[in-house]
Amino acid sequence: MANPSENLINLCRAAVEAHRVATSVPYTPEGWRPWMDAAETFQAAVTAEANQEPKQNRFKLEQAAKKAVLHPEPDES
């Protein structure tokens, strides 16, 4: 199981939020630029983190970060 860092999860959250904002209004290149930049930053971070020791599968790492953001586990408190 891939284990994304808190930084990677935060970058994914930022990309998801930027997507929400960009798609809430009619398309303009300037309006979508923050989303595209956030997504690019997230993807670069996934690649960098996957290549750190111990190496992780890049695809599984990306999916684990997205799952943590889009489908968080319920608190068991």
Side-chain angles (χ1 to χ4, degrees):
M1 177 78 174
N3 188 21
S5 69
E6 193 62 33
N7 180 56
L8 196 60
I9 291 171
N10 288 336
L11 290 171
C12 185
R13 266 192 202 107
V16 168
E17 177 59 16
H19 173 260
R20 186 194 65 74
V21 170
T23 58
S24 69
V25 296
Y27 170 79
T28 64
E30 300 81 22
W32 279 33
R33 177 55 39 207
W35 170 32
M36 303 307 287
D37 291 344
E40 184 178 336
T41 299
F42 170 65
Q43 291 297 324
V46 171
T47 299
E49 192 166 310
N51 288 326
Q52 292 177 353
E53 293 297 330
K55 296 207 183 269
Q56 298 185 65
N57 179 291
R58 191 206 174 289
F59 175 77
K60 289 180 180 179
L61 184 61
E62 178 181 350
Q63 294 307 305
K66 288 180 177 181
K67 181 180 179 187
V69 171
L70 299 173
H71 307 286
E73 296 290 324
D75 288 336
E76 294 187 24
S77 36

Coordinates of all heavy atoms in Angstrom, one line a residue:
M1 N 0.8 -1.2 0.0 CA 0.0 0.0 0.0 C 0.9 1.2 0.0 O 1.8 1.4 0.8 CB -0.9 0.0 1.2 CG -1.8 1.2 1.4 SD -3.2 1.0 0.3 CE -4.1 2.4 0.8
A2 N 0.6 2.1 -0.9 CA 1.4 3.4 -1.0 C 1.0 4.3 0.2 O -0.1 4.2 0.7 CB 1.1 4.1 -2.3
N3 N 2.0 5.1 0.7 CA 1.8 5.9 1.8 C 2.1 7.4 1.5 O 3.3 7.8 1.7 CB 2.6 5.4 3.0 CG 2.3 6.1 4.3 OD1 1.3 6.7 4.4 ND2 3.3 6.0 5.2
P4 N 1.2 8.2 1.0 CA 1.5 9.5 0.6 C 1.8 10.4 1.8 O 1.2 10.2 2.9 CB 0.2 10.0 -0.1 CG -0.9 9.2 0.4 CD -0.3 7.8 0.8
S5 N 2.7 11.3 1.7 CA 3.0 12.3 2.8 C 1.9 13.3 3.0 O 1.0 13.4 2.1 CB 4.3 13.0 2.4 OG 4.0 13.9 1.3
E6 N 1.9 14.0 4.1 CA 0.9 15.0 4.3 C 1.0 16.1 3.3 O 0.0 16.7 2.9 CB 1.0 15.5 5.8 CG -0.1 16.4 6.2 CD -1.4 15.6 6.3 OE1 -1.5 14.4 6.6 OE2 -2.5 16.2 6.0
N7 N 2.2 16.4 2.9 CA 2.5 17.4 1.9 C 1.8 17.1 0.6 O 1.1 17.9 -0.1 CB 4.0 17.7 1.6 CG 4.2 18.7 0.6 OD1 3.8 19.8 0.7 ND2 5.0 18.3 -0.5
L8 N 1.9 15.8 0.2 CA 1.3 15.3 -1.1 C -0.2 15.4 -1.0 O -0.9 15.8 -1.9 CB 1.8 13.9 -1.4 CG 1.5 13.4 -2.8 CD1 2.3 14.3 -3.8 CD2 2.0 12.0 -2.9
I9 N -0.8 15.0 0.2 CA -2.2 15.1 0.4 C -2.7 16.6 0.3 O -3.7 16.9 -0.3 CB -2.6 14.4 1.7 CG1 -2.4 12.9 1.6 CG2 -4.0 14.7 2.1 CD1 -2.5 12.1 2.8
N10 N -1.9 17.5 0.9 CA -2.3 18.9 0.8 C -2.2 19.4 -0.6 O -3.1 20.3 -1.0 CB -1.4 19.7 1.7 CG -1.7 19.5 3.2 OD1 -2.8 19.1 3.6 ND2 -0.7 19.7 4.1
L11 N -1.2 19.0 -1.4 CA -1.1 19.4 -2.8 C -2.3 18.9 -3.6 O -2.9 19.6 -4.5 CB 0.2 19.0 -3.4 CG 1.4 19.7 -2.9 CD1 2.7 19.1 -3.4 CD2 1.4 21.2 -3.3
C12 N -2.7 17.7 -3.3 CA -3.9 17.1 -4.0 C -5.1 17.9 -3.6 O -6.0 18.2 -4.5 CB -4.0 15.6 -3.6 SG -5.4 14.8 -4.5
R13 N -5.3 18.2 -2.3 CA -6.4 19.0 -1.9 C -6.5 20.4 -2.6 O -7.5 20.8 -3.0 CB -6.3 19.3 -0.4 CG -7.1 18.4 0.5 CD -7.2 18.8 1.9 NE -7.4 17.6 2.7 CZ -6.5 17.0 3.5 NH1 -5.4 17.6 3.7 NH2 -6.9 15.9 4.1
A14 N -5.3 21.0 -2.8 CA -5.2 22.3 -3.5 C -5.7 22.1 -4.9 O -6.4 23.0 -5.5 CB -3.8 22.8 -3.4
A15 N -5.3 21.0 -5.6 CA -5.6 20.8 -7.0 C -7.1 20.5 -7.1 O -7.8 21.0 -8.0 CB -4.8 19.6 -7.5
V16 N -7.7 19.8 -6.2 CA -9.1 19.5 -6.2 C -9.9 20.8 -6.0 O -10.9 21.0 -6.6 CB -9.5 18.4 -5.1 CG1 -11.0 18.3 -4.9 CG2 -8.9 17.1 -5.5
E17 N -9.5 21.6 -5.0 CA -10.2 22.9 -4.8 C -10.1 23.8 -6.0 O -11.0 24.5 -6.3 CB -9.6 23.5 -3.5 CG -10.2 24.9 -3.2 CD -11.7 24.9 -3.0 OE1 -12.3 23.9 -2.8 OE2 -12.3 26.0 -3.1
A18 N -8.9 23.9 -6.6 CA -8.7 24.7 -7.8 C -9.6 24.2 -8.9 O -10.2 25.0 -9.6 CB -7.2 24.7 -8.2
H19 N -9.8 22.9 -9.0 CA -10.7 22.3 -10.0 C -12.1 22.8 -9.8 O -12.8 23.2 -10.7 CB -10.6 20.8 -10.0 CG -11.6 20.2 -10.9 ND1 -12.7 19.6 -10.4 CD2 -11.6 20.0 -12.3 CE1 -13.4 19.1 -11.4 NE2 -12.8 19.3 -12.6
R20 N -12.5 22.7 -8.5 CA -13.9 23.1 -8.1 C -14.1 24.6 -8.5 O -15.2 24.9 -9.1 CB -14.1 22.9 -6.6 CG -15.6 23.2 -6.2 CD -15.7 23.3 -4.7 NE -15.0 24.4 -4.1 CZ -15.4 25.7 -4.2 NH1 -16.5 26.0 -4.9 NH2 -14.7 26.7 -3.7
V21 N -13.2 25.4 -8.2 CA -13.3 26.9 -8.5 C -13.4 27.1 -10.0 O -14.2 27.8 -10.5 CB -12.2 27.7 -7.8 CG1 -12.2 29.1 -8.3 CG2 -12.3 27.6 -6.3
A22 N -12.5 26.4 -10.7 CA -12.4 26.6 -12.2 C -13.6 26.2 -12.9 O -14.1 26.9 -13.8 CB -11.1 25.9 -12.7
T23 N -14.2 25.1 -12.4 CA -15.4 24.6 -13.1 C -16.7 25.2 -12.6 O -17.8 24.8 -13.1 CB -15.4 23.0 -13.1 OG1 -15.4 22.6 -11.7 CG2 -14.2 22.4 -13.8
S24 N -16.6 26.1 -11.7 CA -17.8 26.7 -11.2 C -18.3 27.9 -12.0 O -19.3 28.5 -11.7 CB -17.7 27.1 -9.7 OG -16.8 28.2 -9.6
V25 N -17.4 28.3 -12.9 CA -17.7 29.5 -13.8 C -17.4 29.1 -15.2 O -16.8 28.1 -15.5 CB -16.8 30.7 -13.4 CG1 -17.2 31.2 -12.0 CG2 -15.4 30.4 -13.4
P26 N -17.9 29.9 -16.2 CA -17.7 29.6 -17.6 C -16.1 29.6 -17.8 O -15.4 30.3 -17.2 CB -18.3 30.7 -18.3 CG -19.4 31.2 -17.4 CD -18.9 31.0 -16.0
Y27 N -15.8 28.7 -18.8 CA -14.3 28.5 -19.1 C -13.7 29.8 -19.6 O -14.2 30.5 -20.5 CB -14.2 27.4 -20.2 CG -12.8 27.4 -20.7 CD1 -11.8 26.7 -20.0 CD2 -12.4 28.0 -21.9 CE1 -10.5 26.7 -20.4 CE2 -11.1 27.9 -22.4 CZ -10.2 27.3 -21.6 OH -8.9 27.3 -22.1
T28 N -12.5 30.1 -19.1 CA -11.6 31.0 -19.7 C -10.2 30.4 -19.4 O -10.0 29.8 -18.4 CB -11.7 32.4 -19.1 OG1 -11.3 32.4 -17.7 CG2 -13.0 33.0 -19.2
P29 N -9.2 30.7 -20.3 CA -7.9 30.2 -20.0 C -7.3 30.7 -18.7 O -6.7 30.0 -17.9 CB -7.1 30.6 -21.2 CG -8.0 30.8 -22.3 CD -9.3 31.2 -21.6
E30 N -7.6 32.0 -18.4 CA -7.1 32.6 -17.2 C -7.8 32.0 -16.0 O -7.2 31.8 -14.9 CB -7.3 34.1 -17.2 CG -6.7 34.8 -18.3 CD -7.5 34.8 -19.6 OE1 -8.7 34.5 -19.6 OE2 -6.8 34.9 -20.7
G31 N -9.0 31.6 -16.1 CA -9.8 31.0 -15.0 C -9.3 29.6 -14.7 O -9.4 29.2 -13.5
W32 N -8.9 28.9 -15.7 CA -8.4 27.5 -15.4 C -7.0 27.4 -15.1 O -6.5 26.4 -14.7 CB -8.7 26.7 -16.7 CG -10.2 26.2 -16.7 CD1 -11.3 26.9 -16.3 CD2 -10.6 25.0 -17.2 NE1 -12.4 26.1 -16.5 CE2 -12.0 25.0 -17.1 CE3 -10.0 23.9 -17.9 CZ2 -12.8 23.9 -17.5 CZ3 -10.8 22.8 -18.3 CH2 -12.2 22.9 -18.1
R33 N -6.2 28.5 -15.3 CA -4.7 28.5 -15.0 C -4.4 28.0 -13.6 O -3.5 27.2 -13.5 CB -4.1 29.8 -15.4 CG -2.6 30.0 -15.1 CD -1.7 28.9 -15.7 NE -2.0 28.5 -17.1 CZ -1.7 27.3 -17.6 NH1 -1.1 26.4 -16.9 NH2 -2.1 27.0 -18.8
P34 N -5.1 28.5 -12.6 CA -4.7 28.1 -11.2 C -4.9 26.6 -11.0 O -4.1 25.9 -10.4 CB -5.7 28.9 -10.3 CG -6.0 30.1 -11.1 CD -6.0 29.7 -12.5
W35 N -6.0 26.0 -11.6 CA -6.2 24.6 -11.6 C -5.1 23.8 -12.3 O -4.5 22.9 -11.8 CB -7.6 24.2 -12.2 CG -7.8 22.8 -12.3 CD1 -7.3 21.7 -11.6 CD2 -8.6 22.2 -13.3 NE1 -7.8 20.5 -12.0 CE2 -8.6 20.8 -13.1 CE3 -9.3 22.6 -14.4 CZ2 -9.2 19.9 -14.0 CZ3 -10.0 21.7 -15.2 CH2 -10.0 20.4 -15.0
M36 N -4.7 24.3 -13.5 CA -3.7 23.6 -14.3 C -2.4 23.6 -13.5 O -1.6 22.7 -13.5 CB -3.6 24.2 -15.7 CG -4.9 24.1 -16.5 SD -5.7 22.5 -16.5 CE -4.6 21.7 -17.7
D37 N -2.1 24.8 -12.9 CA -0.8 24.9 -12.2 C -0.8 24.0 -10.9 O 0.2 23.4 -10.6 CB -0.6 26.4 -11.8 CG -0.3 27.3 -12.9 OD1 0.1 26.8 -14.0 OD2 -0.4 28.5 -12.8
A38 N -1.9 24.0 -10.2 CA -2.0 23.1 -9.0 C -1.9 21.7 -9.4 O -1.2 20.9 -8.7 CB -3.3 23.4 -8.3
A39 N -2.5 21.3 -10.5 CA -2.5 19.9 -10.9 C -1.0 19.5 -11.3 O -0.5 18.4 -11.0 CB -3.4 19.6 -12.1
E40 N -0.4 20.4 -12.0 CA 1.0 20.2 -12.4 C 1.9 20.1 -11.2 O 2.8 19.2 -11.2 CB 1.5 21.3 -13.3 CG 2.9 21.2 -13.9 CD 3.3 22.3 -14.8 OE1 2.4 23.0 -15.4 OE2 4.5 22.5 -15.0
T41 N 1.7 20.9 -10.2 CA 2.5 20.9 -9.0 C 2.3 19.5 -8.3 O 3.3 18.9 -7.8 CB 2.2 22.0 -8.1 OG1 2.5 23.3 -8.8 CG2 2.9 22.0 -6.8
F42 N 1.1 19.1 -8.2 CA 0.7 17.8 -7.6 C 1.4 16.7 -8.3 O 2.0 15.8 -7.7 CB -0.8 17.6 -7.5 CG -1.2 16.2 -7.1 CD1 -0.9 15.8 -5.8 CD2 -1.9 15.4 -7.9 CE1 -1.3 14.5 -5.4 CE2 -2.3 14.1 -7.6 CZ -2.0 13.7 -6.3
Q43 N 1.3 16.6 -9.6 CA 1.9 15.6 -10.4 C 3.4 15.5 -10.2 O 4.0 14.4 -10.1 CB 1.5 15.7 -11.9 CG 0.0 15.4 -12.1 CD -0.4 14.0 -11.8 OE1 0.3 13.0 -12.0 NE2 -1.6 13.9 -11.3
A44 N 4.1 16.7 -10.2 CA 5.5 16.7 -10.0 C 5.9 16.2 -8.6 O 6.9 15.5 -8.5 CB 6.0 18.1 -10.2
A45 N 5.1 16.5 -7.6 CA 5.3 16.1 -6.3 C 5.1 14.6 -6.2 O 5.9 13.9 -5.4 CB 4.5 16.8 -5.3
V46 N 4.1 14.0 -6.8 CA 3.9 12.6 -6.8 C 5.2 11.9 -7.4 O 5.7 10.9 -6.8 CB 2.7 12.2 -7.6 CG1 2.6 10.7 -7.8 CG2 1.4 12.7 -7.0
T47 N 5.7 12.3 -8.5 CA 6.8 11.7 -9.2 C 8.0 11.8 -8.2 O 8.7 10.8 -8.0 CB 7.1 12.4 -10.5 OG1 6.0 12.3 -11.4 CG2 8.4 11.9 -11.1
A48 N 8.3 13.0 -7.6 CA 9.4 13.2 -6.7 C 9.3 12.3 -5.5 O 10.3 11.6 -5.1 CB 9.5 14.6 -6.3
E49 N 8.1 12.2 -4.9 CA 7.9 11.4 -3.7 C 8.1 9.9 -4.1 O 8.6 9.1 -3.3 CB 6.6 11.7 -3.1 CG 6.5 11.1 -1.7 CD 5.3 11.6 -0.9 OE1 5.2 12.9 -0.9 OE2 4.5 10.8 -0.4
A50 N 7.6 9.5 -5.2 CA 7.7 8.1 -5.6 C 9.1 7.6 -5.8 O 9.5 6.5 -5.6 CB 6.9 7.8 -6.9
N51 N 10.0 8.6 -6.2 CA 11.4 8.3 -6.4 C 12.2 8.3 -5.2 O 13.4 8.0 -5.2 CB 11.9 9.2 -7.5 CG 11.4 8.8 -8.9 OD1 11.1 7.6 -9.1 ND2 11.2 9.8 -9.7
Q52 N 11.7 8.8 -4.0 CA 12.5 8.8 -2.8 C 12.6 7.4 -2.2 O 11.8 6.5 -2.5 CB 11.8 9.7 -1.8 CG 11.8 11.2 -2.1 CD 11.0 12.0 -1.1 OE1 10.4 11.5 -0.2 NE2 11.1 13.3 -1.3
E53 N 13.6 7.2 -1.4 CA 13.8 5.9 -0.8 C 12.9 5.8 0.5 O 12.8 6.8 1.2 CB 15.2 5.7 -0.3 CG 16.2 5.6 -1.5 CD 15.9 4.3 -2.4 OE1 15.4 3.3 -1.9 OE2 16.2 4.4 -3.6
P54 N 12.2 4.8 0.7 CA 12.0 3.6 -0.2 C 11.1 4.0 -1.3 O 10.1 4.7 -1.2 CB 11.4 2.6 0.7 CG 10.6 3.3 1.7 CD 11.4 4.6 1.9
K55 N 11.5 3.5 -2.5 CA 10.7 3.8 -3.7 C 9.3 3.2 -3.6 O 9.1 2.2 -3.0 CB 11.4 3.3 -4.9 CG 12.8 3.9 -5.2 CD 13.2 3.9 -6.6 CE 14.5 4.5 -6.8 NZ 14.5 5.9 -7.1
Q56 N 8.4 4.0 -4.2 CA 7.0 3.6 -4.2 C 6.5 3.6 -5.6 O 7.0 4.3 -6.5 CB 6.1 4.5 -3.4 CG 6.5 4.6 -1.9 CD 5.5 5.4 -1.1 OE1 4.3 5.1 -1.0 NE2 6.0 6.5 -0.6
N57 N 5.5 2.8 -5.9 CA 4.8 2.8 -7.2 C 4.1 4.1 -7.4 O 3.3 4.5 -6.6 CB 3.8 1.6 -7.3 CG 3.1 1.6 -8.6 OD1 2.3 2.4 -8.9 ND2 3.4 0.5 -9.3
R58 N 4.5 4.8 -8.5 CA 4.0 6.2 -8.7 C 2.5 6.2 -8.8 O 1.8 7.0 -8.2 CB 4.6 6.8 -9.9 CG 4.3 8.3 -10.1 CD 4.4 8.7 -11.5 NE 3.9 10.1 -11.6 CZ 2.7 10.5 -11.4 NH1 1.7 9.7 -11.2 NH2 2.4 11.8 -11.5
F59 N 1.9 5.3 -9.6 CA 0.5 5.2 -9.8 C -0.3 5.0 -8.5 O -1.2 5.6 -8.1 CB 0.1 4.1 -10.8 CG -1.4 3.9 -11.0 CD1 -2.1 4.8 -11.7 CD2 -2.0 2.8 -10.4 CE1 -3.5 4.6 -11.8 CE2 -3.4 2.6 -10.5 CZ -4.1 3.5 -11.2
K60 N 0.2 4.0 -7.7 CA -0.4 3.7 -6.4 C -0.3 4.9 -5.4 O -1.2 5.1 -4.6 CB 0.2 2.4 -5.8 CG -0.2 1.2 -6.6 CD 0.4 -0.1 -5.9 CE 0.0 -1.3 -6.7 NZ 0.6 -2.5 -6.2
L61 N 0.8 5.6 -5.5 CA 1.0 6.7 -4.6 C 0.0 7.8 -5.0 O -0.7 8.4 -4.1 CB 2.4 7.2 -4.7 CG 2.8 8.4 -3.8 CD1 2.7 8.0 -2.3 CD2 4.2 8.8 -4.1
E62 N -0.2 8.1 -6.2 CA -1.1 9.1 -6.7 C -2.5 8.7 -6.3 O -3.3 9.5 -5.8 CB -1.1 9.3 -8.2 CG -2.1 10.3 -8.8 CD -2.0 10.4 -10.3 OE1 -1.1 9.9 -10.9 OE2 -2.9 11.1 -10.8
Q63 N -2.9 7.4 -6.5 CA -4.2 7.0 -6.2 C -4.5 7.0 -4.7 O -5.6 7.4 -4.2 CB -4.5 5.5 -6.7 CG -4.5 5.5 -8.2 CD -5.5 6.4 -8.8 OE1 -6.6 6.4 -8.5 NE2 -5.0 7.3 -9.7
A64 N -3.5 6.7 -3.9 CA -3.6 6.8 -2.4 C -3.8 8.3 -1.9 O -4.7 8.5 -1.1 CB -2.4 6.2 -1.7
A65 N -3.1 9.2 -2.5 CA -3.3 10.6 -2.2 C -4.7 11.1 -2.6 O -5.4 11.7 -1.8 CB -2.3 11.5 -2.9
K66 N -5.2 10.7 -3.8 CA -6.5 11.1 -4.2 C -7.6 10.4 -3.4 O -8.6 11.1 -3.1 CB -6.7 10.7 -5.7 CG -5.9 11.6 -6.7 CD -6.1 11.2 -8.1 CE -5.4 12.1 -9.0 NZ -5.6 11.8 -10.4
K67 N -7.4 9.2 -3.0 CA -8.4 8.5 -2.1 C -8.5 9.2 -0.8 O -9.6 9.4 -0.3 CB -8.0 7.1 -1.9 CG -9.0 6.3 -1.1 CD -8.6 4.9 -0.9 CE -9.7 4.2 0.0 NZ -9.3 2.9 0.4
A68 N -7.3 9.6 -0.2 CA -7.3 10.3 1.1 C -8.1 11.6 1.0 O -8.7 12.0 2.0 CB -5.9 10.5 1.5
V69 N -8.0 12.3 -0.2 CA -8.7 13.6 -0.3 C -10.1 13.4 -0.7 O -11.0 14.1 -0.1 CB -7.9 14.5 -1.4 CG1 -8.7 15.7 -1.7 CG2 -6.6 14.8 -0.9
L70 N -10.4 12.6 -1.7 CA -11.8 12.5 -2.2 C -12.7 11.5 -1.4 O -13.9 11.7 -1.5 CB -11.7 12.0 -3.7 CG -10.9 13.0 -4.6 CD1 -10.8 12.4 -6.0 CD2 -11.7 14.3 -4.7
H71 N -12.1 10.5 -0.8 CA -12.8 9.5 -0.1 C -12.2 9.2 1.3 O -11.7 8.1 1.5 CB -12.9 8.2 -0.9 CG -13.4 8.4 -2.3 ND1 -14.7 8.7 -2.6 CD2 -12.7 8.4 -3.5 CE1 -14.9 8.9 -3.9 NE2 -13.7 8.7 -4.4
P72 N -12.2 10.2 2.2 CA -11.5 10.0 3.4 C -12.2 9.0 4.3 O -13.4 8.8 4.2 CB -11.5 11.4 4.1 CG -12.7 12.1 3.4 CD -12.8 11.5 2.1
E73 N -11.4 8.3 5.1 CA -11.9 7.3 6.0 C -12.7 8.0 7.1 O -12.2 9.1 7.6 CB -10.8 6.5 6.7 CG -10.0 5.6 5.7 CD -10.8 4.5 5.1 OE1 -11.6 3.9 5.9 OE2 -10.7 4.2 3.9
P74 N -13.8 7.5 7.5 CA -14.6 8.2 8.6 C -13.8 8.0 9.9 O -13.1 7.0 10.2 CB -15.9 7.4 8.7 CG -15.7 6.1 8.0 CD -14.5 6.4 7.0
D75 N -13.9 9.1 10.8 CA -13.3 9.0 12.1 C -14.0 8.0 12.9 O -15.2 7.8 12.9 CB -13.4 10.4 12.8 CG -12.5 11.4 12.2 OD1 -11.5 11.0 11.6 OD2 -12.8 12.6 12.4
E76 N -13.2 7.2 13.7 CA -13.8 6.1 14.5 C -13.7 6.5 16.0 O -13.5 5.7 16.8 CB -13.0 4.8 14.3 CG -13.2 4.3 12.9 CD -12.6 2.9 12.7 OE1 -12.5 2.2 13.7 OE2 -12.3 2.5 11.6
S77 N -14.0 7.8 16.3 CA -13.9 8.3 17.6 C -15.3 8.3 18.3 O -16.3 8.1 17.7 CB -13.3 9.6 17.8 OG -13.6 10.5 16.7

